[in-house]
Amino acid sequence: MTERPVVIAGNWKMYKTIEEAQVFIEKLKPAVAKADCGVYLAVPFTAIKPAADKAAGTNIVVGAQNMNDAREGAFTGEIAGIMLVEAGAKFVILGHSERRRIFGETNELINKKIKRAIKEGLQPLVCIGETAKERDAGHAEQKLEEQITQTFAEISPEDMQKCLLAYEPVWAIGTGKASTPENAQQMHTLCRELIGRLWNEEIAAKIGILYGGSVTPRNAPEFIEQPDIDGVLVGGASLTPETFSEIVNYQTIKKVKEVT
Ligand code: PGA
């Protein structure tokens, strides 16, 4: 039997000052203290250290939302993985659709960032997902295959096991129009099949795949109950401790998914 951890991750995007982040963590701490799942928060760079300090000794894991693929160097305005680690980040979101769409990040660049993150000891949380246009044209599956093949190119099975994936259909992000649990389950199964083919069945069974896109306390349970959905990546609803903790504390969340 294989077990997969359940992770509920918040992505604050470009919201919250240091002070706001600290107040948030103080409120979240008691609210999720009994949570039986991973509680991840991807915060703005300036808030990483203060948030990680506040979260020390709790079950809240602080991470970043992006990083550069180089160890260090003359890259004005960029941030290195070693700096994130020093500040207290344990994971980093890579390849979010906003990074791909607004900042032109390609699968090739995201691939380099994944390799760098692993080298520096950060867990990559890698986002993939099709646009509305691609879905309407019947290319959603093909798009996922392309993204998985290219973003994880030359990643060893051992390193693949360190990654988390998030299936986030672009049309569902920030729109209030979440995917259906059935469609998400289907896409997650596809990801797993692909990973089984490209790496091996064991990794496919073990890798955590989260769903993201307009997740709320209301719809989160039906996503998490799907057999191949191992948690959720939450944007808007992660901005208040009340809504985020409600998702975390959804009563049937188990620490692990048991897969036979
Ligand atoms: P949303 O964002 O929950 O606000 O749709 C999700 C994300 O961008 O990860």
Side-chain angles (χ1 to χ4, degrees):
M1 189 168 33
T2 308
E3 291 181 337
R4 287 197 299 269
V6 169
V7 172
I8 308 299
N11 172 15
W12 282 356
K13 310 193 178 186
M14 202 173 74
Y15 293 100
K16 295 201 190 294
T17 61
I18 291 174
E19 199 190 329
E20 288 166 342
Q22 288 172 321
V23 171
F24 182 105
I25 304 268
E26 277 303 323
K27 283 193 186 154
L28 187 69
K29 271 200 279 199
V32 300
K34 294 200 178 78
D36 224 0
C37 59
V39 183
Y40 282 32
L41 272 181
V43 309
F45 295 137
T46 49
I48 292 174
K49 172 117 178 71
D53 286 349
K54 281 262 177 221
T58 74
N59 56 346
I60 302 167
V61 181
V62 173
Q65 303 167 17
N66 181 32
M67 59 175 267
N68 191 271
D69 62 299
R71 184 178 186 278
E72 59 184 2
F75 303 110
T76 303
E78 289 292 285
I79 193 123
I82 50 171
M83 299 166 186
L84 302 179
V85 171
E86 185 192 37
K90 302 282 185 236
F91 75 98
V92 57
I93 295 179
L94 295 174
H96 189 279
S97 70
E98 284 151 19
R99 299 292 323 166
R100 293 175 185 264
R101 181 170 51 85
I102 307 168
F103 301 99
E105 291 198 10
T106 60
N107 289 333
E108 288 70 25
L109 177 62
I110 297 158
N111 176 253
K112 287 186 190 158
K113 292 185 178 196
I114 295 171
K115 290 173 180 162
R116 173 61 58 191
I118 292 172
K119 207 173 258 173
E120 312 301 7
L122 284 163
Q123 180 181 33
L125 198 180
V126 183
C127 303
I128 52 171
E130 81 284 358
T131 62
K133 206 167 147 200
E134 287 155 353
R135 170 153 290 261
D136 291 347
H139 296 153
E141 288 81 5
Q142 189 188 321
K143 185 72 190 184
L144 276 202
E145 178 154 359
E146 187 183 294
Q147 286 182 332
I148 290 181
T149 312
Q150 295 178 3
T151 56
F152 292 103
E154 299 152 5
I155 303 281
S156 69
E158 196 197 351
D159 285 346
M160 195 64 190
Q161 284 191 35
K162 297 174 185 158
C163 298
L164 266 177
L165 239 77
Y167 166 62
E168 296 206 303
V170 180
W171 44 271
I173 296 176
T175 58
K177 284 189 224 133
S179 172
T180 61
E182 295 72 27
N183 172 64
Q185 161 62 20
Q186 221 173 30
M187 297 305 269
H188 282 228
T189 308
L190 183 82
C191 291
R192 238 178 259 293
E193 281 170 5
L194 209 56
I195 291 166
R197 244 191 297 140
L198 294 169
W199 284 270
N200 60 57
E201 290 304 327
E202 196 195 333
I203 290 172
K206 275 190 183 162
I207 197 161
I209 311 179
L210 315 184
Y211 166 77
S214 296
V215 171
T216 63
R218 231 187 123 126
N219 65 18
E222 43 188 351
F223 284 108
I224 300 163
E225 275 165 11
Q226 300 296 320
D228 282 300
I229 300 183
D230 307 311
V232 283
L233 177 54
V234 189
S238 74
L239 291 173
T240 63
E242 292 77 16
T243 45
F244 188 60
S245 61
E246 203 178 328
I247 296 173
V248 170
N249 290 325
Y250 157 57
Q251 58 172 356
T252 69
I253 286 185
K254 296 207 191 86
K255 195 192 236 146
V256 292
K257 282 216 162 176
E258 290 170 358
V259 205
T260 40

